Amino acid sequence: MRTVGCLILDGVRAFDYAVIGEVFANRATRPGLPPFELRVCGPEGTRVRLGGGLERLPDHGLEALPGCDLVIVPGIEDPLAPTAPEILDALRAVHERGVPVASLCAGAFLLADAGLLDGRRATTHWWLAAELARRHPAVEVDPEVLFAGDGEVWTSAGVAAGIDLCLHLVRSAHGQRAAAAIARAMVTAPFRAGGQAQFIPSPVPEDSGRDDSLAAVRAAVLGSLETPWTIKQLAALALMSERSFARRFTEATGTPPLRWLLEQRVLTAQRLLEETDLPVDEIAVRCGFGSAVSLRPAFVRRVGVAPREYRRAFRQG
C-alpha cells in the first residue's frame, strides 16, 4: 500500500481529514518508514467546504481514485444530507476495481448509500448507529467496535477511532513496527483494545485510585506475559475480589481482563516476530502461549495469518 486516496466533499469533518493526512502524509518525523503518496481527491475544480469553516481545493479529480491502493472517506457533518451521484459512482468504480475502501465515523453513510456495505458488518459513531441500521437494513451494524472490515471495505467508529483504523490499515500492510512508529510520532496508542462500549457513556470509575491500581496490575502483567495468569491472581494483585476486579477492569478498559491479556500476548508476538530471530516456539513461550501450536490459532484470529507467514511478510531487515 503506497498510494492513498482521500475523498473530500462539502461537509467533511476537518478532524477526520486531518487524521488521514497525519497518518499518511506527515513524513517529517518518520524517517525510514514506507513513504505514502496521499491524493486528496474531490469534484474537479471545486473548492470543498470542510467543517469548521475551512476550505480545500482537491489536488485531484474523482477519476484519480481508482488508481490508488486504498481510498478513505472522512466523516461528514450531516450524514443524512443527500450525496451527489458522482460521488457515489466514484465509490462504486473504486470498489469494482478491487481497491479497498475505508470510511471514518459518519463516512459509513456514504459507503452504505453507494451499496458497498450491503451484507457486510460495519460500524459508525455509536450516536449514529441506529440511524445507519434504520436507513440501510441490509447492513449488519455493530455499534460496539472501534472499527470493522473484511479486507475490502472498512468502517470506523467516531473521532479517535478513525486513528485506530488508519493505524490498523498501516499495520496490515507494513507491519506493527511501522504502525507503532507513526503512533509514537502522533503521541497516541498504536493499538487500543476494547470498543465503543467504554464510551457509551464513559463508565470509567470516578475514584482515580482505582484506576491507578489497575494500571499497576496491567504493568505487572505486561512485564511477565509468560506467566499463566488467572483472574484469581490478577484480582489478588489489585487487592479485590475476582468479581469486583473483572467488573472494574472491564469498566476501565472496555475489555474483559482475559481478552485484554490475549490481545497483549498477540501484540507482543507480532513485535518479536518482526524484530527478532527468536524461534516461533520461544516467542510463544515468552508471550504466555506455551508452544507454537497454541500460539497459532490465537494469532490467526487476531492478525489473519499464521505467525510464520506474518514473519515472512513483515520481518525487518
Side-chain angles (χ1 to χ4, degrees), residues 4-26 38-42 47-60 72-77 103-107 156 159-160 162-163 166 186:
V4 178
C6 174
L7 172 59
I8 61 173
L9 61 154
D10 284 346
V12 157
R13 289 172 52 88
F15 180 88
D16 292 351
Y17 167 73
V19 164
I20 297 167
E22 189 68 27
V23 173
F24 295 105
N26 187 357
L38 181 63
R39 296 180 181 176
V40 180
C41 305
R47 186 171 291 275
V48 171
R49 296 184 297 277
L50 308 179
L54 303 177
E55 292 189 349
R56 176 68 156 89
L57 183 65
D59 301 321
H60 303 270
I72 306 179
V73 181
I76 50 179
E77 296 283 351
S103 67
L104 309 189
C105 195
S156 79
V159 196
I163 301 175
C166 288
M186 295 176 66

Side-chain angles (χ1 to χ4, degrees), residues 168-185:
H168 174 77
L169 294 171
V170 171
R171 186 183 301 112
S172 298
H174 298 288
Q176 182 182 339
R177 187 175 182 179
I182 294 173
R184 190 177 303 114

Side-chain angles (χ1 to χ4, degrees), residues 6 19 45 49 86-87 91 98 106-107 122 147 184 228-229 242 250 256 268 280 291 301 303:
C6 174
V19 164
R49 296 184 297 277
E86 61 177 330
I87 298 292
L91 288 171
F147 57 83
R184 190 177 303 114
W229 293 104
E242 294 179 41
T250 304
T268 301
V280 176
S291 69
R301 281 195 301 271
V303 183

Side-chain angles (χ1 to χ4, degrees), residues 188-308:
T188 190
F191 175 82
R192 290 193 297 164
Q196 295 195 73
Q198 59 189 306
F199 306 108
I200 315 174
S202 176
V204 176
E206 295 179 3
D207 183 349
S208 61
R210 293 173 181 171
D211 282 340
D212 290 342
S213 66
L214 294 182
V217 171
R218 292 194 293 272
V221 170
L222 292 175
S224 183
L225 284 175
E226 71 280 3
T227 300
W229 293 104
T230 64
I231 290 289
K232 183 177 181 179
Q233 291 172 310
L234 298 175
L237 284 178
L239 303 178
M240 297 178 184
S241 69
E242 294 179 41
R243 179 176 297 181
S244 293
F245 171 76
R247 176 171 55 81
R248 297 269 179 82
F249 192 99
T250 304
E251 288 174 350
T253 66
T255 308
L258 294 184
R259 186 188 303 172
W260 175 88
L261 175 58
L262 179 61
E263 293 282 3
Q264 301 309 311
R265 283 174 165 160
V266 172
L267 284 170
T268 301
Q270 286 182 265
R271 179 178 59 80
L272 293 176
L273 287 167
E274 291 182 27
E275 300 179 4
T276 75
D277 292 317
L278 293 172
V280 176
D281 271 311
E282 184 172 343
I283 290 174
V285 171
R286 289 192 180 197
C287 296
F289 289 100
S291 69
V293 174
S294 298
L295 166 63
R296 193 180 192 280
F299 197 92
V300 170
R301 281 195 301 271
R302 168 67 183 83
V303 183
V305 296
R308 287 184 173 84

Side-chain angles (χ1 to χ4, degrees), residues 1-5 36-37 39 64-71 98-101:
M1 180 179 68
R2 299 296 187 196
T3 305
V4 178
F36 297 106
E37 176 194 350
R39 296 180 181 176
L65 290 171
C68 297
D69 301 316
L70 168 70
V71 170
V99 177
V101 181

